[in-house]
Amino acid sequence: MPAYGAYLQLPALLENQCPHAGPDAHDELMFITVHQVFELLFKQLLLELGDARDRMLGGESYLPRKRLERAVVIQRALLAQFDVLDTMEPQDFAVFRGALGAGNGGQSAQFWELALLSGSRDDTYLDRPWYTEQERSRLRRRFEEPSLWDGFLALLTDAGFDVATTSHRAAACRRLAARTDQHRQLWDLAEALIAHDQAWASWQGRHLLTVQRQIGRRRGTGGTAGAAHLKSRLDDRFYPELWELRASL
């Protein structure tokens, strides 16, 4: 039986936080650690959401909802990481900000994989120069494969609903909203999708606030638009039809 450290590969893991800016940049290690935590949790999210999608395509509704519920809890853990980042004052970030070079969080391939898997059809970030060939391949595959929304529509089709047009899908979702025993699991699944979407939007909003707290309206790291770019995406939703349904209930 492996020991705790061997099972978790802790020696290799703990050697992967490598500050660049020198001993005066006390907060750089924290910055690196938090962003590595983001990526580890993104990896787990991809597993949970991918399984939810696959099971919906396979005709299941119960376990996909459980996977989505876990995803929302993971997203809350992601949100909490900004509390750690916010203990850093702007002057302390400025000490090591230059060490990031052209790097910024928008270059996270896993972040965009999550968006595509969830339902985004934005192909803007599929072929950027900072990705490795493996990352480009993963992003292209995510763009071409079914999303969570496709999985949900497959379940509606299996249940006898017409989902060919927006109006047909709206009528189907209004029937689900009646919460009859026949369709209760599908309604609960729709609500789990909304909860995932809401948690993602909350993460986006919290990210914006942290960026504004650190650099205000200045351009972002690597020459990005910074807070202005993040603000432009705040109203993006994966499941706009489920949000629009609220107006007709």
Side-chain angles (χ1 to χ4, degrees):
M1 294 291 290
Y4 174 79
Y7 177 76
L8 295 178
Q9 300 184 51
L10 290 183
L13 176 66
L14 297 177
E15 287 177 1
N16 284 328
Q17 296 75 45
C18 304
H20 300 273
D24 292 335
H26 176 83
D27 287 354
E28 189 181 10
L29 177 61
M30 178 270 290
F31 184 88
I32 291 171
T33 300
V34 166
H35 284 80
Q36 288 184 347
V37 169
F38 281 147
E39 293 295 331
L40 287 171
L41 292 177
F42 286 164
K43 182 177 181 178
Q44 188 64 37
L45 270 179
L46 285 168
L47 178 69
E48 302 299 341
L49 297 179
D51 191 65
R53 185 271 317 273
D54 292 344
R55 288 180 181 277
M56 283 192 282
L57 291 172
E60 295 183 55
S61 58
Y62 173 72
L63 279 178
R65 176 174 63 82
K66 299 297 290 182
R67 299 292 186 261
L68 284 161
E69 288 172 351
R70 176 180 289 172
V72 170
V73 175
I74 294 170
Q75 287 170 279
R76 290 177 190 149
L78 282 165
L79 201 62
Q81 303 312 305
F82 289 113
D83 291 335
V84 182
L85 286 176
D86 284 347
T87 65
M88 176 174 61
E89 296 181 358
Q91 304 93 314
D92 298 317
F93 181 44
V95 173
F96 68 88
R97 187 184 178 200
L100 276 67
N104 66 81
Q107 296 173 1
S108 167
Q110 288 197 120
F111 177 87
W112 295 111
E113 279 191 79
L114 283 166
L116 293 168
L117 174 57
S118 295
S120 171
R121 294 298 89 194
D122 183 358
D123 62 356
T124 307
Y125 289 89
L126 294 186
D127 190 25
R128 293 299 180 93
W130 50 75
Y131 294 135
T132 65
E133 286 301 319
Q134 183 183 53
E135 288 171 333
R136 268 193 208 93
S137 176
R138 290 203 323 258
L139 286 162
R140 176 59 59 181
R141 175 173 59 83
R142 295 289 185 190
F143 183 74
E144 295 173 351
E145 71 186 15
S147 67
L148 282 163
W149 180 242
D150 294 319
F152 182 65
L153 294 184
L155 283 179
L156 292 184
T157 301
D158 290 345
F161 292 106
D162 185 350
V163 298
T165 67
T166 302
S167 59
H168 286 137
R169 293 191 293 272
C173 289
R174 284 194 295 272
R175 286 181 60 190
L176 297 185
R179 297 180 296 186
T180 62
D181 290 343
Q182 181 183 6
H183 300 309
R184 182 63 196 239
Q185 282 198 356
L186 287 174
W187 171 254
D188 288 345
L189 185 55
E191 287 290 274
L193 287 170
I194 281 283
H196 163 52
D197 206 353
Q198 182 175 342
W200 185 267
S202 296
W203 194 91
Q204 297 272 64
R206 191 68 168 81
H207 186 195
L208 169 63
L209 287 172
T210 292
V211 168
Q212 289 175 325
R213 179 168 178 160
Q214 294 301 329
I215 64 172
R217 292 187 300 229
R218 286 187 295 170
R219 293 191 66 79
T221 304
T224 66
H229 171 71
L230 296 174
K231 194 171 185 178
S232 71
R233 305 187 71 96
L234 286 184
D235 291 333
D236 292 351
R237 296 292 180 270
F238 297 134
Y239 317 114
E241 293 179 34
L242 293 181
W243 290 97
E244 185 61 32
L245 173 66
R246 270 73 188 149
S248 62
L249 295 181

